[in-house]
Coordinates of all heavy atoms in Angstrom, one line a residue:
N1 N 82.0 113.9 113.2 CA 81.6 115.3 112.7 C 80.4 115.8 113.4 O 80.4 117.0 113.8 CB 81.4 115.2 111.2 CG 82.7 114.9 110.4 OD1 83.8 115.0 111.0 ND2 82.5 114.6 109.2
T2 N 79.4 115.0 113.6 CA 78.2 115.5 114.3 C 78.5 115.7 115.8 O 78.0 116.7 116.4 CB 77.1 114.4 114.2 OG1 76.9 114.2 112.8 CG2 75.8 115.0 114.7
F3 N 79.3 114.9 116.4 CA 79.7 115.1 117.8 C 80.4 116.4 117.9 O 80.2 117.1 118.9 CB 80.6 113.9 118.2 CG 81.3 114.1 119.5 CD1 80.6 113.9 120.7 CD2 82.6 114.5 119.6 CE1 81.3 114.1 122.0 CE2 83.3 114.7 120.8 CZ 82.6 114.5 122.0
T4 N 81.3 116.7 117.0 CA 82.0 118.0 117.0 C 81.0 119.2 117.0 O 81.2 120.1 117.8 CB 82.9 118.1 115.8 OG1 83.9 117.0 115.8 CG2 83.6 119.4 115.7
K5 N 80.1 119.2 116.1 CA 79.1 120.3 116.0 C 78.3 120.4 117.3 O 78.0 121.5 117.8 CB 78.2 120.1 114.8 CG 78.9 120.2 113.5 CD 78.0 120.0 112.3 CE 78.7 120.2 111.0 NZ 77.8 120.1 109.8
A6 N 77.8 119.3 117.8 CA 77.0 119.3 119.0 C 77.8 119.8 120.2 O 77.3 120.7 121.0 CB 76.4 117.9 119.2
L7 N 79.0 119.3 120.4 CA 79.8 119.7 121.6 C 80.2 121.1 121.5 O 80.2 121.8 122.5 CB 81.0 118.8 121.6 CG 81.9 119.0 122.9 CD1 81.2 118.6 124.2 CD2 83.2 118.2 122.8
A8 N 80.5 121.6 120.3 CA 80.8 123.0 120.1 C 79.7 123.9 120.5 O 80.0 124.9 121.2 CB 81.2 123.3 118.6
K9 N 78.5 123.6 120.2 CA 77.4 124.4 120.6 C 77.2 124.4 122.2 O 76.9 125.4 122.8 CB 76.1 124.0 119.9 CG 76.1 124.2 118.4 CD 74.9 123.5 117.8 CE 75.0 123.7 116.3 NZ 73.8 123.1 115.5
E10 N 77.5 123.3 122.7 CA 77.3 123.2 124.2 C 78.4 124.0 124.9 O 78.2 124.5 126.0 CB 77.4 121.7 124.6 CG 77.1 121.3 126.0 CD 76.9 119.8 126.2 OE1 76.1 119.2 125.5 OE2 77.6 119.3 127.1
L11 N 79.6 124.0 124.3 CA 80.8 124.6 125.0 C 81.0 126.1 124.6 O 81.9 126.7 125.2 CB 82.0 123.8 124.7 CG 82.0 122.4 125.3 CD1 83.3 121.7 124.9 CD2 81.8 122.3 126.8
A12 N 80.4 126.5 123.6 CA 80.6 127.9 123.1 C 80.4 129.0 124.2 O 81.2 129.9 124.3 CB 79.7 128.2 121.9
P13 N 79.4 128.9 125.1 CA 79.3 129.9 126.2 C 80.5 129.9 127.1 O 80.7 130.9 127.8 CB 78.1 129.5 126.9 CG 77.3 128.7 125.9 CD 78.3 128.0 125.1
S14 N 81.3 128.8 127.1 CA 82.5 128.8 128.0 C 83.8 129.1 127.2 O 84.9 128.9 127.7 CB 82.6 127.4 128.6 OG 81.5 127.0 129.4
N15 N 83.6 129.7 126.1 CA 84.8 130.2 125.2 C 85.7 129.0 124.8 O 86.9 129.2 124.8 CB 85.6 131.2 126.0 CG 86.6 131.9 125.1 OD1 86.3 132.2 123.9 ND2 87.7 132.2 125.7
I16 N 85.1 127.8 124.6 CA 85.8 126.7 124.1 C 85.4 126.4 122.7 O 84.2 126.3 122.4 CB 85.5 125.5 125.0 CG1 86.0 125.7 126.5 CG2 86.2 124.2 124.5 CD1 85.4 124.8 127.4
H17 N 86.4 126.3 121.8 CA 86.1 126.1 120.4 C 86.3 124.7 120.0 O 87.3 124.1 120.3 CB 86.9 127.1 119.5 CG 86.9 128.5 120.0 ND1 88.0 129.1 120.5 CD2 85.9 129.4 120.1 CE1 87.7 130.3 120.9 NE2 86.4 130.5 120.6
V18 N 85.4 124.1 119.2 CA 85.5 122.7 118.9 C 85.3 122.6 117.3 O 84.2 123.0 116.8 CB 84.4 121.8 119.6 CG1 84.7 120.3 119.3 CG2 84.4 122.1 121.1
N19 N 86.3 122.2 116.6 CA 86.2 122.1 115.2 C 86.8 120.7 114.7 O 87.5 120.1 115.4 CB 87.0 123.2 114.5 CG 86.3 124.6 114.8 OD1 85.2 124.9 114.3 ND2 87.0 125.4 115.6
A20 N 86.5 120.4 113.5 CA 87.0 119.1 112.9 C 87.6 119.4 111.5 O 87.1 120.3 110.8 CB 85.9 118.1 112.7
I21 N 88.7 118.7 111.2 CA 89.3 118.8 109.9 C 89.0 117.5 109.2 O 89.4 116.4 109.6 CB 90.8 119.0 110.0 CG1 91.1 120.3 110.8 CG2 91.4 119.1 108.6 CD1 92.6 120.6 111.0
A22 N 88.3 117.6 108.1 CA 87.9 116.5 107.3 C 89.0 116.3 106.2 O 88.9 116.9 105.1 CB 86.5 116.6 106.6
C23 N 89.9 115.4 106.5 CA 91.1 115.3 105.6 C 90.7 114.4 104.4 O 89.9 113.5 104.4 CB 92.2 114.6 106.3 SG 93.0 115.6 107.6
G24 N 91.3 114.8 103.2 CA 91.2 114.0 102.0 C 92.3 113.0 102.1 O 92.7 112.4 103.1
M25 N 92.9 112.7 100.9 CA 94.1 111.7 100.9 C 95.3 112.4 101.4 O 95.8 113.4 100.9 CB 94.3 111.3 99.4 CG 95.4 110.3 99.3 SD 95.2 108.7 100.1 CE 94.4 107.8 98.8
I26 N 95.9 111.8 102.5 CA 97.1 112.3 103.1 C 98.1 111.2 103.0 O 97.8 110.0 103.1 CB 96.9 112.7 104.5 CG1 95.7 113.6 104.7 CG2 98.2 113.4 105.1 CD1 95.7 114.9 104.0
D27 N 99.4 111.5 102.8 CA 100.4 110.5 102.6 C 100.9 109.9 103.9 O 101.9 110.4 104.4 CB 101.6 111.1 101.8 CG 102.6 110.0 101.3 OD1 102.2 108.9 101.4 OD2 103.7 110.4 101.0
T28 N 100.1 109.0 104.4 CA 100.4 108.4 105.7 C 100.4 106.9 105.7 O 100.0 106.3 104.6 CB 99.3 108.8 106.8 OG1 98.1 108.2 106.4 CG2 99.2 110.3 106.9
D29 N 100.8 106.3 106.8 CA 100.8 104.8 106.8 C 99.5 104.2 106.6 O 99.3 103.1 106.2 CB 101.4 104.3 108.1 CG 102.9 104.6 108.2 OD1 103.5 104.9 107.2 OD2 103.5 104.5 109.4
M30 N 98.4 105.0 107.1 CA 97.1 104.5 106.9 C 96.7 104.2 105.5 O 95.9 103.3 105.2 CB 96.1 105.5 107.5 CG 94.6 105.0 107.5 SD 93.4 106.2 108.2 CE 93.8 106.1 109.9
N31 N 97.3 104.9 104.6 CA 97.0 104.7 103.1 C 98.1 103.9 102.4 O 98.2 103.9 101.2 CB 96.9 106.1 102.5 CG 95.7 106.8 102.9 OD1 94.6 106.3 103.0 ND2 95.8 108.1 103.2
A32 N 98.9 103.2 103.2 CA 99.9 102.3 102.7 C 99.3 101.1 101.9 O 100.0 100.5 101.1 CB 100.8 101.8 103.8
C33 N 98.0 100.9 102.1 CA 97.4 99.8 101.4 C 97.2 100.1 99.9 O 96.9 99.2 99.1 CB 96.0 99.5 102.0 SG 94.9 100.9 102.1
F34 N 97.3 101.4 99.6 CA 97.2 101.7 98.2 C 98.5 101.7 97.4 O 99.5 102.1 98.0 CB 96.6 103.2 98.0 CG 95.2 103.3 98.6 CD1 95.0 103.8 99.9 CD2 94.1 102.9 97.9 CE1 93.7 103.9 100.4 CE2 92.8 103.0 98.4 CZ 92.6 103.5 99.6
S35 N 98.5 101.2 96.3 CA 99.8 101.1 95.5 C 100.1 102.4 94.9 O 99.3 103.4 95.0 CB 99.6 100.1 94.3 OG 98.6 100.6 93.4
A36 N 101.3 102.6 94.4 CA 101.8 103.8 93.8 C 100.9 104.2 92.6 O 100.5 105.4 92.4 CB 103.2 103.7 93.3
E37 N 100.4 103.2 91.9 CA 99.5 103.4 90.8 C 98.2 103.9 91.3 O 97.6 104.9 90.6 CB 99.3 102.2 90.0 CG 100.6 101.7 89.2 CD 101.6 101.0 90.1 OE1 101.2 100.7 91.2 OE2 102.7 100.9 89.6
D38 N 97.7 103.4 92.4 CA 96.4 103.8 92.9 C 96.5 105.3 93.4 O 95.6 106.1 93.1 CB 96.1 103.0 94.1 CG 95.6 101.5 93.8 OD1 95.2 101.4 92.6 OD2 95.8 100.6 94.6
K39 N 97.6 105.6 94.0 CA 97.8 107.0 94.5 C 97.9 108.0 93.4 O 97.4 109.1 93.5 CB 99.0 107.0 95.4 CG 98.9 106.3 96.8 CD 100.1 106.4 97.6 CE 100.0 105.7 98.9 NZ 101.2 105.8 99.8
D40 N 98.6 107.6 92.3 CA 98.7 108.4 91.1 C 97.3 108.7 90.5 O 97.0 109.8 90.1 CB 99.6 107.8 90.1 CG 101.1 107.9 90.5 OD1 101.4 108.6 91.3 OD2 101.8 107.1 89.9
A41 N 96.5 107.6 90.5 CA 95.1 107.8 90.0 C 94.3 108.7 90.8 O 93.5 109.5 90.3 CB 94.5 106.4 89.8
I42 N 94.4 108.6 92.1 CA 93.7 109.4 93.1 C 94.1 110.9 92.9 O 93.3 111.8 92.9 CB 93.8 109.0 94.5 CG1 93.2 107.6 94.7 CG2 93.3 110.0 95.5 CD1 93.5 106.9 96.0

């Protein structure tokens, strides 16, 4: 996130936009470690 903000400031004069999306809980394989009950609670 900090890298994003710093690089964005460096590149703004060149009309290059740098942003980040801070995702919450998304239904992906990365979260397969959570049980169905865990996901319901979240």
Side-chain angles (χ1 to χ4, degrees):
N1 292 345
T2 306
F3 171 78
T4 296
K5 293 181 179 183
L7 184 64
K9 293 173 181 178
E10 192 169 302
L11 298 180
S14 297
N15 192 38
I16 299 166
H17 311 114
V18 189
N19 296 290
I21 300 173
C23 292
M25 179 65 90
I26 313 296
D27 190 14
T28 66
D29 290 346
M30 183 180 287
N31 292 317
C33 58
F34 296 101
S35 68
E37 291 77 12
D38 290 336
K39 290 181 181 180
D40 287 343
I42 291 169

